[in-house]
Every structure is written in C-alpha cells, then in structure tokens.
Amino acid sequence: MLGLVMLVMVGEQAQEMQLASWLPTTPIAGLARFIPDWMGLWFARVPTAETLAAQAVAAALVVGSYYLAREQASAPVVS
C-alpha cells in the first residue's frame, strides 16, 4: 500500500514540475486513450513519458532495495 502511495506522490511531483516548466512534457498519444482523465487526477497516472519514467524508476528503486535488503539479511556474517 505504501508503494502505491509513493507512486502517486512521484507522479504528482513530476506533473507539478512539468506545469512549472522544470521538466519537459512529452505526451504519449497511444496511452492517452487507455488512461482516462480521472486516473490522472486520482492516481497521478498522466500519459507523458516523464511522469511514467519517474514512477518506473521509483518502483524499481523500491523493489531493488527490498531484494538487496533480503539478500544482505540472508548473507552469513563474517567476523
């Protein structure tokens, strides 16, 4: 659940940075018909390359850190 909240927050932040012209806006026309407007409002799923890339990077960091922590916890301790 916290991961989904993080993805929404990252998407919102990327969209706000686009509105402030700090990030470019590259719309993905093919996704615009699959992602309705209400998803952009409620879940920050905006069909632009920058917002989706930011959300993908954030998800990869969370999943990667989970597996790294799991690997380190199962590794034998060397004294």
Side-chain angles (χ1 to χ4, degrees):
M1 184 68 169
L2 286 176
L4 294 176
V5 172
M6 182 212 46
L7 290 178
V8 170
M9 292 174 66
V10 168
E12 274 292 321
Q13 188 61 40
Q15 185 182 20
E16 291 294 328
M17 292 174 82
Q18 287 176 331
L19 293 174
S21 298
W22 292 352
L23 278 179
T25 303
T26 309
I28 302 173
L31 287 179
R33 60 184 174 182
F34 294 114
I35 300 177
D37 290 337
W38 64 266
M39 284 190 78
L41 182 64
W42 285 92
F43 300 114
R45 299 297 294 179
V46 182
T48 64
E50 293 80 15
T51 56
L52 295 176
Q55 289 173 324
V57 167
L61 285 172
V62 168
V63 171
S65 66
Y66 168 76
Y67 284 111
L68 180 64
R70 198 169 100 178
E71 179 70 27
Q72 288 178 348
S74 67
V77 177
V78 178
S79 299

